[in-house]
């Protein structure tokens, strides 16, 4: 009976949505796009199902603005045009805000709703900016170096000492390492993620979050309607009765994350207030030295709430009024968001880099040689006589290695961990286009009129592959595009404004560029809502890669299984990147990156 009631409520929601979408003619009627593939999902689902070629083909055929048939006959606009994206994320970002699906967060434990308004975002961003400053990154890097060292030690322990090859699925280890990175840096807390004998429900919850969200992709458009039309009691009942195990699984994940963050936050407050000892299970206060995100924000929180605004202004120049202080819920929400955003994406990015190095031994040898030279030079200048492989590079030297920087940038350009993001138009607007498109009637359109309420899909993937901006080799992984003729780093503007660039900058043509916060690509978005932690993510990737390749050589798998099949890795683009092993050696579903590893030998350099 409960399941029937849940289905009835779901049918009612669908009926209301159908009436809403059928009530008026589509305002995007003139915009070209593919026909529907399915009466219910249109072709929206095609964007998220092994969709690299599908996404790129849309832009190749229709241009930088494409009409997409979405759920229940609704239509959305798929955008990859650089000028249009500049208006969306920079110039008119107050008009193009997160969708209701995104800003309505319904924690399963309380089913409260958090609406991330423009003012709330400004306040939270103001609090977080100093946390991700270059000064704090410089201090944080040597503190978290032991994570990369431990990861390297674990992998090396599985390799024969005679230099022979061992096949290892590196993805679970990269996942554990990324989780330890983000938890230590964000929470100042260790969950011993790299110790396989210390599994706990928090680690399991974090690992299941992204898969749970992806399984509910087609249900998400119903969330705003349910939240607006049903009370807290009935929302809980719908979640209990709906025949969707993925929905209940997501609730369990959110409950565990919420409870754990609250516990760590409470522990930090009592420690900072002097009511508890500074060390406890998992607590890293003495090692982190207050550089983790939660410690910084917790300190500001305690100062502002205990002593008032004047102290916080002197302490950190952070707030100017009571309204600028984060509530408990906002602070905890930021912690969970940072952990989620920095875990899955960084794991797949590092996995992709190692896969590329395994596929390109010439690139791996060149990169390893650059790292060795840098470590030799730093050790010599500081009187370090130990093995060069053990040398930890300081922040500015690590981030400034030209070829390492080029490899990371090109990988993030070609394979952005998140391929699509959505925005909703909050008032009638006109979106200009850098490259005009042809309407369905053959007219040339240099701008698109977009009515209030329209959902836009920003294609980071298509933007990063745009041949108009990146050249005819845009679909080719070529790190040299980020290097000068002499092998130095191409100078990149720190400003995302179009006027600050030149045509010598990768991704810039005739003064036009994408408004990305990370060079001229859209991987970390741009404008006021760009990924605030992109510098930390870049630092983590470079630290892990340089630590691993100093001692370990990576190659594609050549070891046949019991049936004689060799594992071939294939990367699916399902919104997020999902590496799988193709049949017959794999099931084409399970996320894994099996590579052939061995200890580094003298011939592995150039």
């Amino acid at each position: 009976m409960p399941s029937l009631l849940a289905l009835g409520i779901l049918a009612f929601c669908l009926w209301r949505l159908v009436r809403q979408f059928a009530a008026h003619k589509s305002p995007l009627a003139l915009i070209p796009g593919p026909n529907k593939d399915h009466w219910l999902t249109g072709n929206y689902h095609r964007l998220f199902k092994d969709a690299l070629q599908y996404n790129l083909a849309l832009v190749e055929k229709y241009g930088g603005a494409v009409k997409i048939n979405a759920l229940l006959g609704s239509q959305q606009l798929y955008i990859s045009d650089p000028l249009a994206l500049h208006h969306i994320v920079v110039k008119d970002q107050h008009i193009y805000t997160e969708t209701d699906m995104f800003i309505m967060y319904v924690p399963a434990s309380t089913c409260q709703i958090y609406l991330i308004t423009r003012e709330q975002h400004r306040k939270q961003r103001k609090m977080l900016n100093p946390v991700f400053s270059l000064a704090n990154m410089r201090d944080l890097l040597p503190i978290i170096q032991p994570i990369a060292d431990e990861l390297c030690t674990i992998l090396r322990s599985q390799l024969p000492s005679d230099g022979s090859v061992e096949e290892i699925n590196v993805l679970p280890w990269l996942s554990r390492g990324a989780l330890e990175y983000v938890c230590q840096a964000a929470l100042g807390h260790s969950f011993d993620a790299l110790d396989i004998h210390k599994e706990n429900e928090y680690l399991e919850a974090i690992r299941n979050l992204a898969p749970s969200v992806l399984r509910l992709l087609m249900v998400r458009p119903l969330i705003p309607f349910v939240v607006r039309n049903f009370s807290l009691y009935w929302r809980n009942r719908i979640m209990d009765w709906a025949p969707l195990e993925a929905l209940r699984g997501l609730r369990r994940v959110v409950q565990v994350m919420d409870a754990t963050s609250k516990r760590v936050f409470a522990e930090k407050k009592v420690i900072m207030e002097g009511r508890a000892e500074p060390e406890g299970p998992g607590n890293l206060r003495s090692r982190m030295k207050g550089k983790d995100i939660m410690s910084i924000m917790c300190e500001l929180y305690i100062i502002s709430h205990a002593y008032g605004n004047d102290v916080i202004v002197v302490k950190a120049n952070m707030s100017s009024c009571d309204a600028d202080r984060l509530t408990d819920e906002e602070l905890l929400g930021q912690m969970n968001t940072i952990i989620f955003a920095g875990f899955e994406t960084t794991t797949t990015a590092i996995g992709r880099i190692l896969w590329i190095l395994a596929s390109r031994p010439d690139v791996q040898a060149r990169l390893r040689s650059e790292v060795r030279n840098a470590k030799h030079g730093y050790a010599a200048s500081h009187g370090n006589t130990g093995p060069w492989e053990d040398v930890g590079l300081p922040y500015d030297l690590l981030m400034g290695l030209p070829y390492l920087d080029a490899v990371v940038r090109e990988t993030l350009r070609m394979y952005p961990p998140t391929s699509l993001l959505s925005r909703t138009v909050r008032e009638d607007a006109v979106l200009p286009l850098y490259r005009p498109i042809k309407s369905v009637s053959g007219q040339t359109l240099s701008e698109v009129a977009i009515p209030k309420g329209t959902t836009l899909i920003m294609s980071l993937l298509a933007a990063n592959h745009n041949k108009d901006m990146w050249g005819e080799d845009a679909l080719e992984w070529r790190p040299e595009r980020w290097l000068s003729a002499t092998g130095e780093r191409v100078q990149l503007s720190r400003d995302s404004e179009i006027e600050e660039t030149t045509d010598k900058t990768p991704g810039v043509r005739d003064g036009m560029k994408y408004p990305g916060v990370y060079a001229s690509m859209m991987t970390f978005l741009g404008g006021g809502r760009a990924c605030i932690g992109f510098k930390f993510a870049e630092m983590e990737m470079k630290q892990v890669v340089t630590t691993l390749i100093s001692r370990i050589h990576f190659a594609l798998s050549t070891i046949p299984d019991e049936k004689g099949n060799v594992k071939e890795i294939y990367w699916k683009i399902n919104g997020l990147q999902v590496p799988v092993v193709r049949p017959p050696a794999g099931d084409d579903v399970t996320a894994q990156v099996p590579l052939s590893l061995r200890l580094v030998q003298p011939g592995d350099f150039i």
Side-chain angles (χ1 to χ4, degrees):
M1 181 63 69
S3 296
L4 291 176
L5 179 58
L7 287 173
I9 294 172
L10 181 62
F12 173 75
C13 296
L14 294 174
W15 174 72
R16 288 289 301 270
L17 287 170
V18 169
R19 287 192 60 189
Q20 174 185 340
F21 293 130
H24 54 82
K25 184 179 179 180
S26 168
L28 305 179
L30 291 177
I31 308 302
N35 295 324
K36 292 182 182 179
D37 288 335
H38 191 275
W39 68 271
L40 177 63
T41 60
N43 49 14
Y44 180 79
H45 63 289
R46 294 284 302 277
L47 301 175
F48 300 93
K49 187 176 181 180
D50 193 11
L52 173 63
Q53 296 306 320
Y54 185 79
N55 278 268
L56 298 182
L58 284 178
V59 179
E60 183 72 23
K61 183 174 183 178
Y62 300 106
V66 185
K67 179 173 60 184
I68 296 295
N69 294 292
L71 188 67
L72 293 170
S74 65
Q75 294 185 334
Q76 300 181 7
L77 199 59
Y78 180 95
I79 300 292
S80 61
D81 182 90
L83 182 58
L85 287 174
H86 175 74
H87 277 254
I88 293 170
V89 304
V90 178
K91 188 174 186 296
D92 299 320
Q93 59 181 293
H94 62 287
I95 298 176
Y96 306 95
T97 66
E98 275 85 358
T99 64
D100 289 347
M101 286 185 292
F102 181 86
I103 64 177
M104 287 188 173
Y105 170 46
V106 189
S109 56
T110 61
C111 283
Q112 292 174 322
I113 308 167
Y114 298 99
L115 300 179
I116 309 302
T117 64
R118 183 184 181 191
E119 180 58 27
Q120 286 174 313
H121 183 269
R122 182 201 65 79
K123 177 177 67 173
Q124 295 179 13
R125 194 83 177 195
K126 187 176 181 181
M127 287 289 287
L128 285 170
N129 279 331
V131 175
F132 291 102
S133 67
L134 290 180
N136 205 46
M137 293 298 102
R138 291 187 180 99
D139 291 339
L140 195 59
L141 180 67
I143 297 174
I144 56 181
Q145 174 69 50
I147 303 172
D149 293 336
E150 183 180 0
L151 175 61
C152 185
T153 298
I154 291 172
L155 292 176
R156 286 175 59 207
S157 69
Q158 302 177 54
L159 303 181
S161 59
D162 62 0
S164 55
V165 170
E166 183 73 23
E167 183 181 286
I168 298 176
N169 177 17
V170 299
L171 190 63
W173 293 111
L174 297 180
S175 174
R176 289 173 175 273
L179 185 56
E180 194 66 14
Y181 260 98
V182 73
C183 286
Q184 290 194 24
L187 300 179
H189 195 92
S190 173
F191 291 94
D192 293 319
L194 286 167
D195 187 342
I196 61 173
H197 302 296
K198 292 187 178 181
E199 288 286 348
N200 62 63
E201 61 178 359
Y202 183 74
L203 302 181
E204 191 65 23
I206 291 292
R207 286 199 289 262
N208 287 331
L209 182 55
S212 297
V213 171
L214 288 176
R215 283 196 295 270
L216 293 169
L217 183 65
M218 302 311 298
V219 178
R220 288 174 57 192
L222 301 175
I223 292 176
F225 179 83
V226 172
V227 169
R228 291 192 179 105
N229 290 276
F230 294 91
S231 67
L232 174 61
Y233 172 82
W234 284 109
R235 291 201 299 272
N236 273 311
R237 296 283 71 79
I238 292 172
M239 191 172 291
D240 289 334
W241 297 337
L244 295 172
E245 179 56 35
L247 187 61
R248 289 186 288 275
L250 180 60
R251 176 167 62 177
R252 289 191 293 271
V253 166
V254 173
Q255 285 176 330
V256 171
M257 291 182 62
D258 186 55
T260 304
S261 295
K262 286 179 178 178
R263 176 176 59 80
V264 173
F265 178 53
E267 290 174 356
K268 283 190 175 292
K269 284 201 294 184
V270 298
I271 290 171
M272 288 183 171
E273 291 167 352
R275 296 186 285 115
E277 293 298 320
E279 290 297 341
N283 191 290
L284 301 174
R285 180 169 172 78
S286 61
R287 199 186 98 194
M288 298 304 294
K289 303 175 184 178
K291 298 299 181 181
D292 59 279
I293 298 168
M294 182 172 274
S295 288
I296 294 173
M297 296 185 70
C298 192
E299 181 180 11
L300 296 172
Y301 172 93
I302 292 171
I303 292 172
S304 65
H305 284 262
Y307 302 108
N309 185 65
D310 291 340
V311 177
I312 201 169
V313 171
V314 175
K315 182 76 176 180
N317 192 28
M318 293 290 292
S319 297
S320 59
C321 62
D322 289 346
D324 280 337
R325 300 172 190 162
L326 295 185
T327 65
D328 284 19
E329 291 79 10
E330 288 173 328
L331 190 148
L332 291 169
Q334 285 294 332
M335 291 302 99
N336 288 330
T337 299
I338 289 169
I339 290 170
F340 171 57
F343 164 61
E344 193 76 32
T345 54
T346 309
T347 297
T348 55
I350 298 175
R352 177 73 84 160
I353 292 173
L354 294 182
W355 175 78
I356 290 173
L357 296 180
S359 308
R360 293 283 303 273
D362 58 323
V363 171
Q364 185 176 173
R366 179 177 174 181
L367 181 57
R368 183 178 291 111
S369 299
E370 180 183 68
V371 172
R372 180 181 61 176
N373 293 340
K375 290 189 175 187
H376 271 307
Y378 183 76
S381 65
H382 288 75
N384 188 337
T385 58
W388 70 266
E389 296 93 339
D390 295 338
V391 174
L393 297 176
Y395 181 84
D396 291 306
L397 184 53
L398 176 69
M399 302 304 284
L401 293 178
Y403 197 61
L404 172 65
D405 188 69
V407 167
V408 171
R409 287 187 187 275
E410 184 69 349
T411 302
L412 291 174
R413 179 192 72 85
M414 280 283 290
Y415 311 110
T418 301
S419 58
L420 303 168
L421 292 172
S422 295
R423 291 290 186 267
T424 294
V425 186
R426 300 300 173 180
E427 60 184 66
D428 292 345
V430 175
L431 200 58
L433 301 174
Y434 174 62
R435 291 292 186 214
I437 62 173
K438 289 289 185 181
S439 72
V440 294
S441 60
Q443 297 175 296
T444 299
L445 301 177
S446 58
E447 60 184 24
V448 179
I450 308 176
K452 177 181 177 180
T454 302
T455 296
L456 307 180
I457 305 169
M458 300 182 294
S459 179
L460 315 186
L461 185 68
N464 286 359
H465 288 77
N466 187 342
K467 292 182 180 180
D468 282 344
M469 308 305 296
W470 298 97
E472 288 301 314
D473 63 352
L475 304 185
E476 176 187 347
W477 188 86
R478 193 175 66 83
E480 289 74 19
R481 77 176 72 247
W482 302 99
L483 300 173
S484 67
T486 59
E488 298 300 314
R489 295 175 62 192
V490 172
Q491 294 300 310
L492 301 170
S493 171
R494 293 176 179 269
D495 196 333
S496 63
E497 293 297 326
I498 295 176
E499 300 80 35
E500 297 294 326
T501 61
T502 71
D503 283 359
K504 294 182 179 180
T505 305
V508 178
R509 291 293 182 273
D510 302 324
M512 176 61 64
K513 71 180 286 287
Y514 280 104
V517 69
Y518 184 59
S520 42
M521 67 184 83
M522 291 299 294
T523 301
F524 295 103
L525 207 57
R529 291 180 180 268
C531 174
I532 195 170
F534 79 94
K535 278 295 181 185
F536 176 80
E538 182 187 24
M539 178 180 74
E540 178 187 342
M541 292 177 209
K542 291 182 175 181
Q543 188 178 52
V544 171
V545 170
T546 55
T547 301
L548 293 183
I549 68 168
S550 294
R551 291 188 177 275
I552 301 174
H553 180 274
F554 297 86
L556 296 180
S557 178
T558 57
I559 303 175
D561 61 18
E562 61 277 5
K563 295 182 179 180
N565 301 311
V566 175
K567 295 176 181 176
E568 178 187 358
I569 300 170
Y570 174 69
W571 292 79
K572 292 184 176 180
I573 303 297
N574 295 345
L576 299 174
Q577 297 186 54
V578 182
V580 299
V581 172
R582 282 179 159 168
D587 60 10
D588 206 38
V589 174
T590 305
Q592 54 184 311
V593 182
L595 297 175
S596 292
L597 278 59
R598 62 168 171 79
L599 299 176
V600 168
Q601 300 172 358
D604 294 331
F605 302 85
I606 59 172

